[in-house]
Amino acid sequence: MKANIDSSKNTARIVGVLFIIGTVAGILSAFALGGLLNGPDYLDVVASNASRVTVGAVLILVMAIALAMIPALMFPILKKHSQPLAIGYVIFRGALETLTTIGLVVGWLLLVVVARQYVDSGATATSQFSSLGILLVKANDPIMRSVVSIVFNL
């Protein structure tokens, strides 16, 4: 019985540390990516701050990995109460972290590519790259909002 309590305490500590890592990485990614999309020349800003965007994307990945590990660690504890709910928690939380991370990181990294092409293209194709940049920036909001609300509601 004592070993079981110690194991649960260790799991709780690890989960707490992962939650703190995920939270800090998420906050740092907001600082890294913040302010890049303000103004009409955001593609120029993103192109000149590509390393900042990459760091922000890596921080989002760190956040997602830390938060995705929490359900896996909690599974043994949760299955004592209800195995179907524990499995559902692992699956849906894994889906949430995977889909939102893929959407966010791919969107940000594609925005870097589009911004570089925008700067390199000159005046000939700027409207096409500008339209694609707007699509990448604006598409994340409804997609992420929908995925998060569906998974959390389930």
Side-chain angles (χ1 to χ4, degrees):
M1 183 72 173
K2 173 99 168 111
N4 196 11
I5 292 173
D6 289 341
S7 174
S8 294
K9 281 185 178 182
N10 287 337
T11 300
R13 286 184 186 113
I14 294 169
V15 166
V17 168
L18 288 173
F19 187 77
I20 291 169
I21 290 170
T23 302
V24 170
I27 291 169
L28 290 176
S29 73
F31 282 118
L33 298 170
L36 290 177
L37 303 180
N38 299 341
D41 60 341
Y42 68 93
L43 287 175
D44 291 323
V45 173
V46 169
S48 63
N49 292 299
S51 61
R52 220 171 109 188
V53 175
T54 304
V55 167
V58 168
L59 286 168
I60 290 171
L61 284 173
V62 169
M63 175 186 71
I65 290 169
L67 296 178
M69 289 175 61
I70 291 172
L73 289 170
M74 291 295 294
F75 179 76
I77 296 169
L78 295 175
K79 82 174 182 177
K80 293 175 187 173
H81 301 286
S82 173
Q83 186 166 357
L85 287 177
I87 292 171
Y89 177 61
V90 171
I91 290 171
F92 285 113
R93 187 61 193 242
L96 172 73
E97 296 303 332
T98 302
L99 293 175
T100 56
T101 301
I102 289 171
L104 286 171
V105 171
V106 168
W108 279 107
L109 294 178
L110 283 175
L111 190 60
V112 170
V113 173
V114 168
R116 285 184 181 158
Q117 292 296 319
Y118 172 80
V119 170
D120 293 341
S121 70
T124 57
T126 56
S127 66
Q128 294 170 346
F129 289 116
S130 180
S131 298
L132 189 54
I134 291 170
L135 176 67
L136 287 170
V137 170
K138 300 292 182 190
N140 264 340
D141 282 343
I143 292 171
M144 291 306 121
R145 205 173 314 125
S146 298
V147 168
V148 169
S149 65
I150 289 170
V151 172
F152 271 131
N153 287 329
L154 287 174

